[in-house]
Amino acid sequence: NFITAQAVARHMAKKSSGVILTLSTPGARLPGPGYMGNCVASAAVEAMSRHLAGELGAQGIRVVCMRPHAIPEAVATSHTREVFRPMAERAGLGIDQMLAGAAAGTLLKRLPTLDEVANTAVFLASDHAGAITGTVANLSCGFLVD
């Protein structure tokens, strides 16, 4: 993340504009057994995003991190099935059962969709979000409340 941001920031700085979007998980704020690697990595991405915003803001570059909860549609087509399987098995559940439980634990009683995450990314990268930088966009459907 840092190397990529550093590389693109050079080009954005020449234009005095740009947006760097990073991606985190609710693990950034969750303690618990079995989450150590994910939690530390996600927290680091969020901290790096805030600090990059401070470093790059004067050059007209915004940095925003997105923190979606689990995305059920992604389980069928991405590496997340392999990530979620051991967690579900430790809990004695199938992946679908685990995701249903995760959805039940949100204020909206559902998980975010790929479209919602993509549309949020488009908005955050647009001029309509020109005042947003140095923050984490919480797409957890109310699992975490900021």
Side-chain angles (χ1 to χ4, degrees):
N1 282 299
F2 177 72
I3 291 168
T4 302
Q6 191 176 38
V8 299
R10 286 186 195 111
H11 297 284
M12 292 175 177
K14 291 175 187 174
K15 296 180 180 183
S16 297
S17 71
V19 181
I20 297 172
L21 295 178
T22 60
L23 193 61
S24 180
T25 72
R29 299 213 1 234
L30 294 175
Y35 298 112
M36 177 64 91
N38 176 267
C39 292
V40 172
S42 293
V45 167
E46 292 184 9
M48 182 197 72
S49 300
R50 286 188 296 275
H51 289 282
L52 276 174
E55 292 282 335
L56 301 173
Q59 296 173 60
I61 302 167
R62 297 186 299 110
V63 182
V64 183
C65 183
M66 298 190 312
R67 184 198 302 138
H69 200 335
I71 305 168
E73 298 152 285
V75 173
T77 60
S78 76
H79 73 287
T80 55
R81 176 170 291 286
E82 297 310 314
V83 172
F84 290 157
R85 180 178 287 128
M87 290 188 290
E89 288 173 354
R90 278 194 300 273
L93 302 170
I95 294 174
D96 290 339
Q97 291 172 304
M98 184 187 80
L99 291 172
T106 72
L107 297 178
L108 298 178
K109 304 300 180 205
R110 66 179 186 82
L111 295 169
T113 66
L114 283 173
D115 278 348
E116 289 170 329
V117 175
N119 288 331
T120 301
V122 168
F123 169 72
L124 291 171
S126 77
D127 290 340
H128 296 291
I132 300 173
T133 193
T135 194
V136 176
N138 182 350
L139 288 87
S140 71
C141 292
F143 178 66
L144 295 175
V145 181
D146 294 325

